[in-house]
Amino acid sequence: RRRKSIWAIGGGKGGSGKTFIAVNLGICLSRFGEEVILIDTDLGGANIHTFLGLSFPQRTLSDFINKRVGTIRDVVVETDIPNLGLVVGAQDLLNAANPKEPQKWKLIRHINSLDVDYIILDLGAGNSFNVLDFFLISENEILVVTPEPTCIENTYRFIKSAFFRKVKRVISHYGVKEIIDMAMDQRNERGIKTPFDIIELAGEIDKSIGLKLEQELESFRPKLIVNQVRTKGDVDIGFSMRSAFLKYFGISMDYLGYVVYDNDVWQSVQKRRPLVLEFPQSRASKCINEITLKLIIDKPFLFNSTG
């Protein structure tokens, strides 16, 4: 079996370009000769097939969730792009958007069982437990944000919720779990707002748990892409968010880079053709290629002019 890498593309707010980024990153990887499967985990609102110019397939995640097929591999759709497979979300079921816990963890186990080089998860909007759990199973937890106050605010909220969800899964102490549940409410009576607050309160209950939470905080390293960049100020949003996460939350974030605002993106969506295939020399395509390479070779992000 190959050592696969799972990338989750999230961010909390709809319309930030998560699906666009997921599809084009997947194609870039496939063109490097890597076997890739894109999975639309936006259960109940699947649209990733549209970006690839495909009709809605006969088999989707709903067939797996409802046990009409035995494995997730049975619902992988082969695309006309070499090395790229697709799993479409369960668009046809109202209750598929909120699978029960056993169904969700069965799906996660089957995702982990896929024998490919890369799995890219296109997450839905919001910060529900289902979205957060898909985000947290990945090796590269990637956030997509646009230079808009509402999107930036939602991203902060998403990351806080993801960390709280992460630590709750590794802590068994009832009193500490109660503190984490309280922190999920921004207006909680104890004024818990940041991971620092949780670590401090947990340490008062049990010093070893406080140390464990500190280790979890150090190991939590999400990555950021700023989409639809028009100015240098938009580029700098990524650096500002990285600094704010470290200062106020203690979370070290990697700024992967940005994708410029480009009319070719709109043209490619209208044509139902992925940008990196339809306009490979466009400025936005070059940005996505650079981000893909950075994820593979893990170089530090260097500022380039949006020109």
Side-chain angles (χ1 to χ4, degrees):
R1 295 178 66 85
R2 287 169 282 195
R3 183 192 177 279
K4 63 177 164 291
S5 180
I6 300 178
W7 299 0
I9 316 296
K13 188 177 185 300
S16 61
K18 294 186 293 293
T19 302
F20 163 74
I21 295 291
V23 167
N24 285 282
L25 284 178
I27 293 172
C28 286
L29 287 170
S30 71
R31 294 171 79 182
F32 292 146
E34 308 286 358
E35 187 175 358
V36 183
I37 292 181
L38 290 167
I39 302 180
D40 193 341
T41 63
D42 187 359
L43 305 178
N47 66 351
I48 200 169
H49 58 287
T50 305
F51 280 78
L52 289 162
L54 300 175
S55 301
F56 196 77
Q58 292 184 338
R59 285 186 171 180
T60 69
L61 274 182
S62 64
D63 295 291
F64 173 75
I65 291 171
N66 284 321
K67 301 180 180 179
R68 290 192 286 266
V69 297
T71 71
I72 194 171
R73 176 56 86 168
D74 296 324
V75 297
V76 175
V77 177
E78 297 302 323
T79 70
D80 59 0
I81 301 169
N83 304 316
L84 185 70
L86 175 67
V87 175
V88 174
Q91 190 183 55
D92 55 334
L93 286 177
L94 184 61
N95 62 357
N98 297 290
K100 297 177 181 178
E101 282 289 298
Q103 292 175 317
K104 175 180 63 182
W105 290 110
K106 177 185 175 184
L107 175 55
I108 287 173
R109 286 196 304 272
H110 277 251
I111 288 172
N112 278 309
S113 73
L114 288 167
D115 187 22
V116 293
D117 298 305
Y118 290 91
I119 298 169
I120 297 183
L121 308 179
D122 177 25
L123 306 185
N127 56 355
S128 68
F129 287 163
N130 288 332
V131 171
L132 296 176
D133 287 337
F134 285 122
F135 185 71
L136 292 170
I137 68 167
S138 65
E139 177 182 322
N140 279 320
E141 301 152 333
I142 301 170
L143 301 158
V144 179
V145 63
T146 55
E148 302 166 2
T150 54
C151 190
I152 294 168
E153 182 181 348
N154 281 353
T155 303
Y156 283 123
R157 189 178 301 121
F158 182 89
I159 283 299
K160 280 204 304 182
S161 299
F163 177 74
F164 295 158
R165 180 68 172 172
K166 176 182 174 70
V167 297
K168 186 177 179 181
R169 282 167 31 184
V170 300
I171 298 298
S172 58
H173 192 291
Y174 177 77
V176 177
K177 284 194 170 186
E178 193 173 38
I179 290 172
I180 296 170
D181 285 336
M182 191 181 301
M184 298 293 279
D185 179 2
Q186 293 190 79
R187 298 181 180 179
N188 66 83
E189 58 187 26
R190 299 192 65 173
I192 304 169
K193 295 182 179 180
T194 72
F196 293 131
D197 298 331
I198 289 181
I199 291 170
E200 182 180 356
L201 291 170
E204 292 174 0
I205 295 173
D206 187 319
K207 188 175 181 179
S208 65
I209 295 179
L211 292 173
K212 173 67 175 173
L213 293 184
E214 285 182 8
Q215 293 172 355
E216 291 295 328
L217 186 61
E218 290 174 3
S219 67
F220 186 46
R221 198 175 185 105
K223 296 172 172 59
L224 181 69
I225 296 172
V226 181
N227 191 27
Q228 299 182 23
V229 161
R230 291 177 170 85
T231 67
K232 185 181 181 299
D234 291 344
V235 173
D236 290 342
I237 286 172
F239 295 111
S240 299
M241 292 182 69
R242 184 178 66 181
S243 298
F245 272 112
L246 185 60
K247 180 179 180 179
Y248 298 109
F249 298 157
I251 294 173
S252 297
M253 174 179 287
D254 293 326
Y255 182 17
L256 294 175
Y258 57 87
V259 179
V260 297
Y261 180 86
D262 191 334
N263 192 56
D264 287 340
V265 173
W266 180 85
Q267 294 284 353
S268 69
V269 172
Q270 293 299 308
K271 293 182 177 182
R272 291 165 52 110
R273 284 274 295 166
L275 177 75
V276 294
L277 295 182
E278 186 67 14
F279 300 106
Q281 298 303 316
S282 68
R283 295 162 66 220
S285 286
K286 292 177 180 177
C287 291
I288 293 170
N289 273 294
E290 289 177 5
I291 290 170
T292 306
L293 287 170
K294 183 185 185 308
L295 282 163
I296 293 174
I297 63 179
D298 201 27
K299 277 189 175 180
F301 171 64
L302 300 175
F303 171 73
N304 291 309
S305 172
T306 59

